[in-house]
Amino acid sequence: MSLPFLNLHRAWAEPNVLADSGLSEKVGQLLFVGISDTHLSERTIKDLRDIQPGAVILFKRNIVGLKQTTALTAQLRGINKEYASLPLLIATDQEGGRVARIEFTPSMPSPLALGMTKDAKIVESVSFEAGKFLRYLGFNMNLAPVLDVLLQGGSSFIGERSFGSSPKLVGQLGVAFAQGQLRAGIIPTSKHFPGAGLLTKDPHVEKVQVDSFAESSLSPFRQFAQVFPSAVMLSHSTYPSLDASGLPATFSPKIISEMLIHDMEYKGLIITDDLKMGAMKGTVPGDIGNADIGELAVRSFLAGADLLMITWSPKDQRAAKAALLKAVQTGRIPLAELESRVKKIAHVKNLVAPLIRTPAKVDNEDTFESKNLALLDDQILSLNLRRELKSMVVPSYRERFVVVSRTPSFRWGFERALGKPVGVLSSQEFLKLAENSAPEKLLLSEYDCFIFPIYSRRDAIFLNSMGKEIRRKTIAVNFASPGLIESAPLRGVLNLFHPHVNSGKLLGHLIRESDVRTPTSF
């Protein structure tokens, strides 16, 4: 079942479902909480009944299997019916790549690998396949896509979570991803407004400030604002060029109310990132810098946020609700404003509520396996690897190869597809080589081409530490983030940004295929 793409400017429906609801339930609709369970304990059930959250987020700590996850989400919906007249939003982070709470088979490609295809149809299809699984598992919201625009050629905290460094392309593919989610019955959530592609620090652990903000970084969010029903997640970073007060976007009326709601005419849900993240500690000017979780929740709401996320600690979740209740009771939060926000939340929830009664289907009810995703994954690998090889002189089949890797699967696939034996060297052994040492000279005399898969920053450090002569013979296959590898004086870099299981096999095949002198039989 597809959801309609409603016109952004049409009037809000006026749901009467909350007409008889009490103040506690209405305030609870503002809370977006995490839990610690894989199956709801009596303690968690009591917490949920007391807090009455409007949304719950599940992480890897909550997900251990398909049947377990469907049972957990069913439990959550059942408890929600006891305290709320609106459906529960059940969300997760399924961006693809390194941020994927559910480990599909095959693994979902990273946004940057998707971005390399520059193909909106492929992105929409991958998103739809992932969305079907989310629906089947009982989710109705995904905290994706990431619309942050990468700094071209630089190292970024966001890295392969972004679709790329072109604002136009990021916007197009972000909308395609959102449409795939909507087609599957999942509410997409763009992030991190107004843009976190330039971050080099991790806001989960420390204060982050964007000193040089590019206006073009807003372009993808403007495109996304036309997709509905939807949600936007705020960045915890500060943006002095957008708000001179020094307030993080999470607490900035200028960024939320003026830019997002007024200037972009955005009418979807506005969500905070976790209010307990490290970026919140002592980073906000004035008294808010030392504010407790309840005060942070109230101030973010007053700035324009609709859903206030606290992913851990029922104590903090209760404190946030108590503070919000008090703010309404004392008039600090006008009752009319609370009613307006809850109506907005109800509007989006009522659009996805019928889908709860329309179960999605998956290939296998016992695993996270998707045949369609596997076909798309192969297509993405082929497109990206072939395109990358065009930018370099492809090695000859007759060269003598050695694969430097800590995992055997890449080397096995490469060797079998190439059709002849290749050398193998662990990355630890590679690191022990010293420039101009006897072992290095021996390797240089025995082999013509070193293939080095990069799965992590640690692998990149190994490669960057090598002597120039070996680096001149090395082709790096980058499955990790952009900006990790010092390309000069490497023989070449193949940026894939996604460790596809068949990447070694396809690379070996393409090298063999490209050489007209390759033997036809073995």
Side-chain angles (χ1 to χ4, degrees):
M1 177 179 178
S2 298
L3 286 178
F5 294 99
L6 303 182
N7 188 295
L8 178 68
H9 302 292
R10 70 181 288 182
W12 285 99
E14 293 291 338
N16 295 315
V17 68
L18 284 176
D20 298 323
S21 301
L23 183 60
S24 179
E25 179 184 342
K26 291 175 181 176
V27 169
Q29 287 296 311
L30 309 178
L31 295 171
F32 201 153
V33 305
I35 60 175
S36 59
D37 310 49
T38 55
H39 293 86
L40 295 185
S41 66
E42 288 301 317
R43 175 63 182 270
T44 299
I45 290 171
K46 182 180 187 306
D47 291 334
L48 291 171
R49 286 171 175 160
D50 291 345
I51 298 164
Q52 300 175 292
V56 172
I57 180 171
L58 300 184
F59 295 94
K60 280 189 177 181
R61 67 180 184 240
N62 308 114
I63 299 169
V64 296
L66 189 147
K67 291 181 179 179
Q68 168 269 329
T69 306
T70 55
L72 177 59
T73 56
Q75 275 187 295
L76 287 167
R77 289 195 300 274
I79 297 300
N80 176 75
K81 289 179 181 178
E82 296 180 13
Y83 66 74
S85 48
L86 287 175
L88 180 69
L89 292 177
I90 305 178
T92 193
D93 294 276
Q94 196 70 20
E95 301 170 9
R98 63 185 161 102
V99 181
R101 309 307 185 196
I102 302 160
E103 296 180 0
F104 296 150
T105 302
S107 59
M108 191 175 164
S110 71
L112 195 51
L114 291 172
M116 286 179 65
T117 69
K118 300 181 181 180
D119 191 320
K121 289 184 179 179
I122 288 178
V123 173
E124 197 273 350
S125 297
V126 168
S127 176
F128 175 62
E129 293 302 322
K132 284 196 304 183
F133 251 110
L134 294 179
R135 272 281 315 288
Y136 182 87
L137 293 168
F139 295 96
N140 51 22
M141 172 177 271
N142 187 10
L143 303 186
V146 171
L147 295 188
D148 302 323
V149 180
L150 283 180
L151 173 65
Q152 193 164 13
S155 180
S156 165
F157 163 71
I158 294 297
E160 72 273 22
R161 295 172 64 191
S162 167
F163 288 110
S165 57
S166 162
K168 182 178 180 180
L169 180 67
V170 170
Q172 290 172 342
L173 299 188
V175 167
F177 189 100
Q179 289 172 336
Q181 294 290 289
L182 288 168
R183 185 156 66 97
I186 300 293
I187 299 171
T189 306
S190 68
K191 57 189 186 185
H192 307 79
F193 186 82
L198 300 181
L199 301 187
T200 57
K201 297 180 180 179
D202 183 354
H204 291 85
V205 297
E206 60 184 314
K207 175 183 178 179
V208 177
Q209 180 171 300
V210 180
D211 293 313
S212 178
F213 184 78
E215 178 69 20
S216 59
S217 295
L218 294 172
S219 173
F221 292 99
R222 287 196 175 94
Q223 294 181 60
F224 184 88
Q226 307 305 313
V227 180
F228 190 81
S230 61
V232 168
M233 177 178 281
L234 300 166
S235 167
H236 278 332
S237 306
T238 60
Y239 299 81
S241 63
L242 301 179
D243 185 349
S245 72
L247 287 168
T250 308
F251 306 103
S252 169
K254 187 173 184 64
I255 290 175
I256 303 174
S257 296
E258 290 186 27
M259 290 179 59
L260 183 56
I261 298 174
H262 182 265
D263 294 347
M264 294 188 185
E265 299 181 303
Y266 181 68
K267 290 182 169 60
L269 300 179
I270 299 171
I271 305 172
T272 72
D273 211 335
D274 189 0
L275 292 176
K276 294 291 288 182
M277 281 170 59
M280 295 291 93
K281 296 177 182 178
T283 64
V284 188
D287 61 338
I288 195 172
N290 298 308
D292 61 22
I293 191 68
E295 180 65 12
L296 293 179
V298 170
R299 295 210 186 184
S300 185
F301 177 86
L302 290 172
D306 305 309
L307 292 175
L308 310 160
M309 184 181 293
I310 305 170
T311 65
W312 201 263
S313 174
K315 179 181 177 181
D316 288 331
Q317 294 161 3
R318 291 172 187 271
K321 182 171 184 181
L324 290 162
L325 276 169
K326 182 178 180 181
V328 176
Q329 291 164 345
T330 60
R332 184 181 176 193
I333 293 178
L335 182 60
E337 183 63 24
L338 173 65
E339 297 277 0
S340 175
R341 303 287 190 89
V342 174
K343 284 181 180 179
K344 186 201 292 192
I345 294 168
H347 182 73
V348 173
K349 287 187 171 185
N350 287 334
L351 285 171
V352 296
L355 295 170
I356 296 173
R357 298 186 291 274
T358 312
K361 295 180 180 180
V362 297
D363 294 335
N364 188 321
E365 294 187 358
D366 295 314
T367 69
F368 293 130
E369 185 175 359
S370 169
K371 295 176 183 176
N372 288 340
L373 188 56
L375 293 173
L376 288 163
D377 202 24
D378 287 341
Q379 185 180 358
I380 292 163
L381 172 66
S382 182
L383 280 172
N384 290 346
L385 184 52
R386 290 174 188 273
R387 182 176 293 141
E388 284 290 285
L389 282 172
K390 287 181 180 179
S391 66
M392 61 178 290
V393 176
V394 180
S396 164
Y397 166 83
R398 297 185 180 277
E399 293 188 49
R400 298 163 299 172
F401 294 91
V402 61
V403 174
V404 183
S405 181
R406 54 185 167 85
T407 58
S409 58
F410 181 94
R411 195 258 301 179
W412 289 342
F414 179 77
E415 184 176 62
R416 289 169 185 170
L418 188 66
K420 68 176 187 178
V422 302
V424 60
L425 194 66
S426 72
S427 49
Q428 288 81 5
E429 291 170 330
F430 199 46
L431 182 62
K432 290 177 183 178
L433 295 174
E435 192 168 7
N436 297 318
S437 66
E440 185 197 49
K441 291 177 180 178
L442 181 61
L443 276 172
L444 287 169
S445 66
E446 288 187 345
Y447 295 102
D448 304 304
C449 183
F450 297 84
I451 308 292
F452 197 152
I454 304 296
Y455 294 95
S456 66
R457 182 177 297 274
R458 183 183 179 189
D459 291 335
I461 291 171
F462 285 168
L463 176 58
N464 293 338
S465 69
M466 294 312 303
K468 290 183 180 180
E469 292 306 312
I470 279 189
R471 285 173 58 83
R472 287 192 181 98
K473 287 189 173 186
T474 297
I475 295 174
V477 185
N478 187 16
F479 298 129
S481 292
L484 292 180
I485 300 169
E486 298 171 6
S487 57
L490 291 176
R491 179 169 176 175
V493 179
L494 301 174
N495 284 309
L496 298 180
F497 306 121
H498 171 53
H500 191 293
V501 66
N502 290 326
S503 53
K505 178 180 177 181
L506 182 58
L507 178 58
H509 169 74
L510 293 176
I511 289 174
R512 180 181 171 191
E513 183 184 65
S514 68
D515 194 332
V516 295
R517 299 172 298 170
T518 302
T520 56
S521 62
F522 301 92

